[in-house]
Amino acid sequence: ATPINKWAVTQPSGGFLKQLGCGARAFDLRPYLKKDGTVVMHHGMIPFFTDIRVAVGDIIKWSERHKNTIVFISVDSCASEDKSEGKKCVIEADKMIDSTGAVYLDCHDVAKMTVGQILAHGKQKNGGSVVYTWANCVESNYDATIKCYGSEERRLSKID
């Protein structure tokens, strides 16, 4: 792995499916609009070239085999190759996420809904529920003092 990958990749390899298998039920998704209109993901200034429809599609497929399970996707930090196209990134990313079958949930509604209502709202064919919302809807619990987020130290300044 390159020094940049060691900094930007904060989870073990295997994508969302591996994380779901390990118990994750919430994801922080950061879209990145490429000049060709493709939406991929990014961490900081580093894009990852997995189409967002493929990544969210994996979550949908997993959910269809896991009844009564909610997967929550928080979408934030939309960026683009053309720095002036932030709004276009949001529009395109929203279309692509919606096309996977994930169901949009307005941030203001989350606090007023029961778990059962959210499960029904994001219901997938034969299975669980996948809902997504945009920015500022969840409170992050990232703790920089925890050193087990990945298998290697993630601070760029500490990488040889």
Side-chain angles (χ1 to χ4, degrees):
T2 68
I4 295 296
N5 269 354
K6 287 181 180 180
W7 173 78
V9 178
T10 59
Q11 305 298 326
S13 63
F16 290 154
L17 289 176
K18 183 165 186 174
Q19 292 178 54
L20 286 160
C22 289
R25 297 297 181 267
F27 294 94
D28 168 14
L29 190 66
R30 300 171 191 187
Y32 183 87
L33 177 64
K34 294 173 58 181
K35 287 181 183 174
D36 68 2
T38 305
V39 179
V40 296
M41 297 176 290
H42 76 96
H43 184 226
M45 62 191 161
I46 311 300
F48 296 93
F49 297 104
T50 300
D51 188 300
I52 203 164
R53 292 170 292 194
V54 172
V56 176
D58 284 347
I59 295 171
I60 297 294
K61 288 176 197 158
W62 182 92
S63 177
E64 289 173 350
R65 296 185 310 273
H66 294 83
K67 293 181 187 252
N68 299 319
T69 301
I70 298 169
V71 178
F72 185 86
I73 304 170
S74 175
V75 188
D76 195 5
S77 303
C78 216
S80 66
E81 285 182 322
D82 180 350
K83 306 295 183 225
S84 67
E85 296 202 357
K87 187 172 183 173
K88 184 175 181 184
C89 178
V90 170
I91 292 166
E92 293 303 314
D94 194 65
K95 278 196 272 189
M96 291 185 184
I97 295 168
D98 186 67
S99 76
T100 67
V103 181
Y104 176 73
L105 183 57
D106 185 87
C107 188
H108 300 302
D109 293 334
V110 172
K112 297 184 260 176
M113 296 175 78
T114 66
V115 170
Q117 289 170 323
I118 293 172
L119 187 63
H121 182 78
K123 183 106 173 116
Q124 299 298 310
K125 177 180 70 179
N126 302 322
S129 176
V130 179
V131 295
Y132 74 98
T133 191
W134 280 87
N136 303 323
C137 192
V138 296
E139 186 175 324
S140 175
N141 66 352
Y142 175 77
D143 182 344
T145 65
I146 297 174
K147 301 298 181 196
C148 62
Y149 283 113
S151 59
E152 299 180 41
E153 180 69 39
R154 298 293 180 206
R155 292 185 175 275
L156 190 57
S157 62
K158 302 244 181 191
I159 297 173
D160 299 325

Short mmCIF file of all heavy atoms in Angstrom, two decimals, residues 5 9-10 16 18 27 38 73 89 139:
data_model
loop_
_atom_site.label_atom_id
_atom_site.label_comp_id
_atom_site.label_asym_id
_atom_site.label_seq_id
_atom_site.Cartn_x
_atom_site.Cartn_y
_atom_site.Cartn_z
N ASN A 5 -2.55 5.67 0.53
CA ASN A 5 -3.56 4.67 0.87
C ASN A 5 -3.57 4.37 2.36
O ASN A 5 -4.62 4.19 2.96
CB ASN A 5 -3.34 3.37 0.10
CG ASN A 5 -4.09 3.35 -1.20
OD1 ASN A 5 -4.87 4.25 -1.50
ND2 ASN A 5 -3.86 2.32 -1.98
N VAL A 9 -7.27 5.08 3.55
CA VAL A 9 -8.06 3.88 3.78
C VAL A 9 -8.09 3.61 5.27
O VAL A 9 -7.09 3.23 5.86
CB VAL A 9 -7.48 2.66 3.01
CG1 VAL A 9 -8.29 1.41 3.30
CG2 VAL A 9 -7.43 2.94 1.52
N THR A 10 -9.25 3.82 5.88
CA THR A 10 -9.35 3.70 7.33
C THR A 10 -10.01 2.41 7.79
O THR A 10 -10.16 2.19 8.98
CB THR A 10 -10.13 4.90 7.91
OG1 THR A 10 -11.44 4.90 7.33
CG2 THR A 10 -9.42 6.21 7.62
N PHE A 16 -17.84 -2.66 1.96
CA PHE A 16 -19.01 -2.60 2.86
C PHE A 16 -19.48 -3.99 3.26
O PHE A 16 -19.96 -4.18 4.37
CB PHE A 16 -20.15 -1.83 2.20
CG PHE A 16 -19.90 -0.35 2.06
CD1 PHE A 16 -20.53 0.37 1.07
CD2 PHE A 16 -19.06 0.32 2.91
CE1 PHE A 16 -20.32 1.73 0.93
CE2 PHE A 16 -18.83 1.68 2.79
CZ PHE A 16 -19.47 2.39 1.79
N LYS A 18 -17.78 -6.70 3.91
CA LYS A 18 -16.99 -7.19 5.03
C LYS A 18 -17.37 -6.46 6.32
O LYS A 18 -17.50 -7.06 7.38
CB LYS A 18 -15.50 -7.04 4.77
CG LYS A 18 -14.67 -7.61 5.91
CD LYS A 18 -13.24 -7.80 5.55
CE LYS A 18 -12.53 -8.50 6.70
NZ LYS A 18 -11.17 -8.83 6.36
N PHE A 27 -23.00 3.73 7.86
CA PHE A 27 -21.87 4.09 7.02
C PHE A 27 -21.83 5.58 6.76
O PHE A 27 -22.86 6.22 6.59
CB PHE A 27 -21.95 3.35 5.67
CG PHE A 27 -21.78 1.87 5.81
CD1 PHE A 27 -22.89 1.05 5.93
CD2 PHE A 27 -20.52 1.31 5.88
CE1 PHE A 27 -22.74 -0.32 6.08
CE2 PHE A 27 -20.35 -0.06 6.03
CZ PHE A 27 -21.47 -0.87 6.13
N THR A 38 -19.40 10.26 -13.47
CA THR A 38 -19.41 9.12 -12.56
C THR A 38 -19.27 9.62 -11.13
O THR A 38 -18.52 10.56 -10.86
CB THR A 38 -18.22 8.17 -12.87
OG1 THR A 38 -18.28 7.79 -14.23
CG2 THR A 38 -18.25 6.94 -11.99
N ILE A 73 -27.16 5.02 6.08
CA ILE A 73 -26.08 5.65 5.34
C ILE A 73 -26.17 7.16 5.51
O ILE A 73 -27.18 7.77 5.16
CB ILE A 73 -26.15 5.30 3.84
CG1 ILE A 73 -26.14 3.78 3.64
CG2 ILE A 73 -25.01 5.97 3.07
CD1 ILE A 73 -26.46 3.35 2.21
N CYS A 89 -22.58 17.73 -7.57
CA CYS A 89 -22.19 16.48 -6.92
C CYS A 89 -23.34 15.94 -6.08
O CYS A 89 -23.66 14.76 -6.13
CB CYS A 89 -20.95 16.70 -6.06
SG CYS A 89 -20.42 15.21 -5.17
N GLU A 139 -24.71 12.44 14.82
CA GLU A 139 -23.60 12.93 15.60
C GLU A 139 -22.48 11.91 15.50
O GLU A 139 -22.67 10.73 15.83
CB GLU A 139 -24.03 13.11 17.06
CG GLU A 139 -22.97 13.74 17.91
CD GLU A 139 -23.47 14.02 19.31
OE1 GLU A 139 -24.64 14.37 19.47
OE2 GLU A 139 -22.65 13.87 20.24
#
